[in-house]
Amino acid sequence: MNDIGRAFIKGTHYPNYSTVDLILRKPEPPIELPVPEGAQVTKLPDPKKVKVPKVPVTDIISTWEPSAFLARSSITLPELSALLWYTQGFRVRVNESLVLKNVPSTGSRYPIETYFVAGEVEGLASGLYRYIPSSHSVLTIREDSNLPVEFGTASMNFKVVTRAAVTFLWAGVPYRSTWALGDRGYRCVLIEAGHTCQELIMIAGCFGYDVQPIDIFHDDLITQIAGLDPETQWPVYLAAVGNRQREI
């Protein structure tokens, strides 16, 4: 193990209560990013009214495989609504600071924000959006038909992302976890991104879509394109959703 790996594992050993701001009575971070005043927000269809095809879990698991290509793809707005809700939507809101989602999260801290580039989504212009789970809506960050190309280049998976119906970006907001768990929370961000991607593979598979996870990408370019604050957020994982290219 090299120095950076050893330092990460050692630095995130638990417990280390000296790094827990909850104990130090510092203010708790919000459970989602704020919506800027005057921002364009689009309400999504009710996910509980979206008819999700019933597909055996074993079929989805046994047929998934990595691919270097996707076919030109499109999805409907109700389908996107389901993909977002099943991966990062609020299933139950207990109070202002405690929610339950459909994915595991240590201490129910949920340190992941969902961004996505819409390539071909019925009812949405091509562009960059952020999911707002509290209202099950999407915030328009930038409408731009060239964004799939920019994102494809930054993702280092051009032929996948530029053909995908939608490409998800899961950005970590580590302080949500480290506030309660100390430095161990950094591990939790990475683990939750993995849980979220697996959930996406499952629900997208029900609709017959393929998911191609992307964990090797140009960090600085993705951060710049998505407009992330590098002091408080960092890109963790990408996933392109579309139809698998059967013949190359």
Side-chain angles (χ1 to χ4, degrees), residues 40-50 75-90 114-116 118 121-125 129-140 166 168:
Q40 180 181 337
V41 175
T42 303
K43 183 71 175 175
L44 293 168
D46 185 346
K48 295 179 181 178
K49 294 182 179 179
V50 177
I75 67 172
T76 68
L77 198 60
E79 289 170 341
L80 176 65
S81 171
L83 299 189
L84 288 166
W85 189 81
Y86 278 96
T87 53
Q88 282 288 313
F90 287 1
T114 302
Y115 296 79
F116 64 91
V121 179
E122 174 190 277
L124 285 182
Y129 299 83
R130 173 164 61 87
Y131 178 47
I132 308 169
S134 61
S135 59
H136 192 59
S137 3
V138 294
L139 165 68
T140 302
V166 59
F168 289 88

Side-chain angles (χ1 to χ4, degrees), residues 1-13:
M1 186 183 298
N2 62 24
D3 290 343
I4 193 170
R6 188 179 296 108
F8 177 76
I9 296 300
K10 185 176 181 179
T12 55
H13 275 189

Side-chain angles (χ1 to χ4, degrees), residues 155-157 160-161 167 197 212-217 236-240:
S155 73
M156 302 168 69
N157 279 268
V160 171
V161 171
T167 300
C197 188
Q212 293 304 318
I214 302 167
D215 57 357
I216 300 293
F217 49 82
V236 181
Y237 212 0
L238 310 180

